[in-house]
Amino acid sequence: MKYIVKSLPEYFKHQDKALENPELFWSEIAESFTWKKPWKKVLTANMHKAEIKWFEEGQLNITENCIDRHLQEKGSDTAIIFEPNSTQEKAQHISFKQLSEEVNKMANVLKQKGIQKGDRVCVYLPMIPELAYTMLACARIGAIHSVVFAGYSSTALASRINDASCKMVITADGSYRGAKEINLKSIVDKALLDSPSVENVLVAKRTQCEIEMTSGRDFFLSDLISAASTVCSPETMNAEDPLFILYTSGSTGTPKGMVHTTGGYMVYTAHTFKNVFQYEDGDIYWCTADIGWITGHSYILYGPLLNGATTILYEGVPSYPDHNRFWEIIEKHKVNQFYTAPTAIRSLAKQDISHVEKHDLSSLKILGTVGEPINVEAWNWYDHHIGQQRCPIVDTWWQTETGGILISPIPFSTPTKATFATFPLLGIQPVLMSDEGKELEGNLVNGNLCIKTPWPGIARTIWNNHKRYLETYFSAYPGYYFSGDAALRDPAGYYRITGRVDDVVIVSGHNLGTAPIENTINEHQIVAESAIVGYPHDIKGNALFGFVTLKRPISEAEKSALKIAINESISDQIGPIAKLSKIQFTFSLPKTRSGKIMRRILRKIAANEFTNLGDTSTLLNPEAVQEIIKNREK
Ligand code: 6R9
């Protein structure tokens, strides 16, 4: 693949070329893939209408590039190492040849159950090999996968299935997460009471827990797979055919189904994987994310496999059976590139350092972080104890919407700086905007982070709702993609992402829209109104604080019960990750004269900053602020 950066001067040289002639730059990279038919036009874009197309009329199948292309030279090399939740269970090494057979079998099963090109298949699976097989099998036959994180509740699952009218759900009997065992099938059963589009449910056996099977609708994968052929010819896809839908939280109630297409996503994830992780043949790469999030899609599955890499799929959690687990896995598999989230780093840094010191981490070459801003203490701890000050840390900034990493150091080329994502990757043009919509020139500035020109990995639309796509990302600054994040540029031109500027709070690396949580709280009879804000938390990065007003006064005992009930309903409707850490009942919420809740002030109060509350002159009810501060929940 062209344009793999090996020094800082080379980075600048390639970047100049990429920005001067993006079409030539990206077509030179795209040429290293297998296409069934070459593209006619590299890029057609109108950023004012959010219409972006890459490699138009090119035809391909991404699985030929992830699998078939490697079979001749690397057939017996390991594509995926599956590391199970329990240390009692052996890791599985899945070669490219085995992966090919499993994916083809699964693809034939999907076809046999009536799935066709363009159909949507919902994947609700734990981190087991079947998850990778299923996603690739969908891509093989041109079905659009919609992976839903297997920690979401039945209500959240149903709304995602319905939004995309999925024809099939693929799940497992149960899942293991640390010491917990969860019955996934029962969650699916409940979701399907409200999801009429689903015709079949395929069930992988993992925990052998007791489940109900609806005759004619539900099938065990193992029964179907055993009879399936290991050959399935890849469907011919246009570069702009959707590859998958992945939902992300919005600031209004319904999740946004981001649509990624085939050609551009392939080129972008493959190229950024190679540059950011400097992957060499024989390396063992491990990203600890869940495939239910974009990080797992792009940098556990597609990016690594497109490069013929060995990628680890870890089923469990960092703390099981104890806090040694990550370091033990690194030692056991001799991991070279390790990519995790600040929340995991912070929680592991709290443990006794002997957990780290007992393990041989000398295989590590590069460390990565993603998902939220990393604080300086966590960065230093990671650098010192895990990287032993010899592994560059790539602080990678990107989003579900961007498909791949946009801002990150290139290891051994870009000097790293704690908490800075540093420079844009090749072909990316970040700009910082003032609130008035002016591009902020020069360095030492602070603004809203936008991207000026299209790149191949950008999502093309929101499923069934292009208007919302345009409004959410392209209307705050017409002609620019607006990320929803703020950032600053230091004197060297390095970027530091400072956080969200909208109503999305990132808790333990998970994006949570506050609106759907508020809606859930407001469904309680006694609740009049609520406002959710994030506040800094040692391990989670942010935790949720709920301010709730009631229709009538209630006793302390009733309040305690209501707090529990509120969290139960949130857990039910959205998922346990969205539970509130603190709830304060109050007589009123601070509002502007136009009736908008002033979350800015609530954020300060939640963070214990009572003095500098900013401009409160537009408040309709300043007394609300005083009341809340006085009774501030400790
Ligand atoms: C890949 C992913 C996107 C939001 C994004 C930003 C935050 C991600 C970051 C970061 C600071 C980093 N974010 N990486 N903030 N530094 N290196 O996480 O996608 O789940 O869609 O979240 O995460 O706020 O806007 P997604």
Side-chain angles (χ1 to χ4, degrees):
M1 204 166 2
K2 277 194 98 169
Y3 303 117
I4 305 308
V5 171
K6 297 291 173 191
S7 71
L8 196 58
E10 205 177 59
Y11 163 78
F12 287 120
K13 192 176 84 193
H14 294 336
Q15 180 67 324
D16 283 349
K17 176 156 186 184
L19 299 185
E20 235 162 66
N21 192 343
E23 296 199 34
L24 178 64
F25 176 80
W26 288 110
S27 66
E28 283 180 346
I29 293 168
E31 272 158 17
S32 64
F33 294 86
T34 302
W35 295 80
K36 290 174 189 285
K37 204 180 111 199
W39 54 91
K40 288 229 171 92
K41 191 152 189 319
V42 184
L43 170 64
T44 315
N46 181 335
M47 296 280 275
H48 287 272
K49 293 189 174 165
E51 288 170 357
I52 297 155
K53 289 180 182 156
W54 284 90
F55 310 114
E56 247 174 301
E57 290 187 51
Q59 291 184 335
L60 73 158
N61 187 291
I62 195 168
T63 66
E64 276 193 293
N65 287 281
C66 288
I67 307 171
D68 305 51
R69 190 163 62 118
H70 309 307
L71 287 179
Q72 192 143 22
E73 279 185 12
K74 305 187 146 203
S76 55
D77 290 2
T78 303
I80 297 175
I81 299 176
F82 171 58
E83 173 69 30
N85 181 61
S86 159
T87 44
Q88 306 302 310
E89 197 180 327
K90 275 213 169 97
Q92 269 180 52
H93 286 70
I94 301 154
S95 68
F96 279 95
K97 182 156 177 294
Q98 286 169 311
L99 181 63
S100 163
E101 291 174 1
E102 296 295 342
V103 169
N104 282 328
K105 283 197 281 185
M106 184 78 85
N108 283 323
V109 166
L110 298 184
K111 275 185 165 171
Q112 186 211 327
K113 287 287 163 218
I115 298 299
Q116 295 175 348
K117 181 173 177 174
D119 286 344
R120 276 80 59 209
V121 172
C122 173
V123 184
Y124 187 70
L125 278 169
M127 289 279 284
I128 56 176
E130 284 83 352
L131 173 54
Y133 303 157
T134 307
M135 292 164 75
L136 294 166
C138 286
R140 188 92 177 158
I141 65 169
I144 302 169
H145 58 72
S146 167
V147 179
V148 177
F149 173 60
Y152 273 125
S153 69
S154 58
T155 317
L157 175 62
S159 74
R160 284 157 179 77
I161 293 172
N162 295 341
D163 183 72
S165 318
C166 293
K167 220 166 141 178
M168 178 183 271
V169 177
I170 303 184
T171 188
D173 48 3
S175 69
Y176 297 120
R177 295 281 293 167
K180 277 192 240 157
E181 202 185 304
I182 300 151
N183 187 319
L184 285 185
K185 177 65 166 57
S186 68
I187 299 174
V188 172
D189 288 339
K190 204 166 156 209
L192 292 195
L193 297 175
D194 298 318
S195 299
S197 60
V198 174
E199 292 167 11
N200 289 125
V201 180
L202 307 189
V203 184
K205 287 186 186 157
R206 178 60 184 141
T207 61
Q208 322 293 334
C209 63
E210 191 112 352
I211 58 172
E212 276 174 32
M213 296 290 278
T214 301
S215 148
R217 185 194 74 181
D218 303 351
F219 299 89
F220 282 111
L221 262 175
S222 49
D223 295 343
L224 304 171
I225 289 280
S226 54
S229 155
T230 55
V231 180
C232 173
S233 68
E235 186 73 40
T236 300
M237 305 301 287
N238 286 318
E240 281 299 334
D241 282 340
L243 174 64
F244 65 86
I245 302 171
L246 183 61
Y247 288 86
T248 186
S249 318
S251 42
T252 65
T254 43
K256 298 174 286 192
M258 305 311 307
V259 178
H260 283 282
T261 60
T262 309
Y265 178 81
M266 171 181 78
V267 170
Y268 195 71
T269 53
H271 188 246
T272 51
F273 173 76
K274 178 83 182 160
N275 256 331
V276 172
F277 297 103
Q278 295 284 310
Y279 185 87
E280 307 273 358
D281 267 351
D283 281 351
I284 308 289
Y285 163 88
W286 182 23
C287 165
T288 69
D290 193 289
I291 289 189
W293 312 117
I294 192 68
T295 305
H297 279 60
S298 301
Y299 299 110
I300 295 179
L301 198 68
Y302 287 111
L305 294 181
L306 287 163
N307 281 279
T310 303
T311 175
I312 296 183
L313 183 71
Y314 172 47
E315 185 182 25
V317 294
S319 54
Y320 183 79
D322 57 39
H323 292 94
N324 280 296
R325 192 63 190 279
F326 273 11
W327 324 127
E328 192 177 279
I329 295 174
I330 292 175
E331 179 174 10
K332 173 174 167 191
H333 296 296
K334 301 200 167 43
V335 171
N336 302 111
Q337 292 91 354
F338 177 65
Y339 190 26
T340 194
T343 179
I345 299 170
R346 285 190 298 263
S347 76
L348 292 170
K350 289 231 146 132
Q351 310 305 319
D352 196 291
I353 197 63
S354 65
H355 288 299
V356 176
E357 285 170 353
K358 314 204 251 256
H359 297 284
D360 176 5
L361 304 181
S362 61
S363 59
L364 288 172
K365 296 197 281 194
I366 291 164
L367 301 176
T369 143
V370 60
E372 59 187 307
I374 182 163
N375 49 311
V376 70
E377 297 79 13
W379 197 98
N380 286 331
W381 184 87
Y382 201 28
D383 181 40
H384 197 88
H385 293 288
I386 307 306
Q388 293 156 353
Q389 289 182 307
R390 49 178 186 79
C391 303
I393 296 178
V394 290
D395 179 353
T396 63
W397 175 79
W398 59 295
Q399 310 178 292
T400 305
E401 297 84 340
T402 71
I405 300 165
L406 296 192
I407 305 184
S408 166
I410 294 188
F412 309 110
S413 296
T414 322
T416 59
K417 177 175 176 185
T419 76
F420 280 76
T422 76
F423 286 139
L425 292 186
L426 299 180
I428 304 302
Q429 242 184 312
V431 291
L432 298 179
M433 295 293 227
S434 70
D435 287 337
E436 294 74 40
K438 287 253 170 347
E439 267 189 44
L440 298 165
E441 306 282 341
N443 292 334
L444 269 177
V445 286
N446 224 316
N448 296 323
L449 179 58
C450 294
I451 312 290
K452 198 168 178 169
T453 51
W455 63 100
I458 187 176
R460 303 298 193 259
T461 193
I462 290 175
W463 183 258
N464 268 340
N465 201 343
H466 195 70
K467 185 164 165 273
R468 187 171 178 201
Y469 183 60
L470 185 66
E471 281 168 3
T472 311
Y473 304 103
F474 297 85
S475 70
Y477 304 101
Y480 297 79
Y481 168 81
F482 175 44
S483 66
D485 284 324
L488 59 85
R489 207 158 43 217
D490 83 351
Y494 274 16
Y495 287 88
R496 176 187 185 174
I497 286 64
T498 50
R500 307 279 318 179
V501 292
D502 55 14
D503 293 335
V504 173
V505 184
I506 302 186
V507 178
S508 299
H510 304 306
N511 292 11
L512 297 171
T514 53
I517 305 175
E518 288 165 7
N519 293 343
T520 304
I521 300 173
N522 299 348
E523 276 169 19
H524 289 262
Q525 273 293 313
I526 182 93
V527 171
E529 217 179 8
S530 62
I532 304 296
V533 295
Y535 69 96
H537 184 278
D538 274 3
I539 290 171
K540 300 176 181 183
N542 293 294
L544 297 176
F545 198 128
F547 295 92
V548 180
T549 64
L550 300 176
K551 290 179 185 153
R552 56 175 171 80
I554 56 175
S555 69
E556 288 307 310
E558 283 173 308
K559 280 184 186 166
S560 302
L562 181 57
K563 284 184 184 176
I564 294 168
I566 285 176
N567 267 333
E568 272 172 4
S569 64
I570 293 173
S571 187
D572 243 33
Q573 305 261 326
I574 297 157
I577 46 176
K579 283 203 230 170
L580 308 183
S581 296
K582 291 184 181 167
I583 299 176
Q584 177 170 344
F585 296 111
T586 173
F587 285 109
S588 57
L589 295 169
K591 291 198 176 166
T592 62
R593 281 165 208 283
S594 61
K596 284 207 174 70
I597 298 171
M598 269 229 199
R599 283 164 217 279
R600 173 167 68 72
I601 291 179
L602 294 175
R603 268 196 285 271
K604 292 235 161 158
I605 296 176
N608 283 333
E609 291 169 30
F610 304 137
T611 42
N612 185 12
L613 292 178
D615 181 10
T616 51
S617 61
T618 55
L619 272 181
L620 180 70
N621 53 346
E623 69 285 356
V625 178
Q626 294 319 314
E627 184 223 323
I628 291 174
I629 292 178
K630 202 172 108 222
N631 302 321
R632 165 77 165 74
E633 171 90 356
K634 289 292 173 295

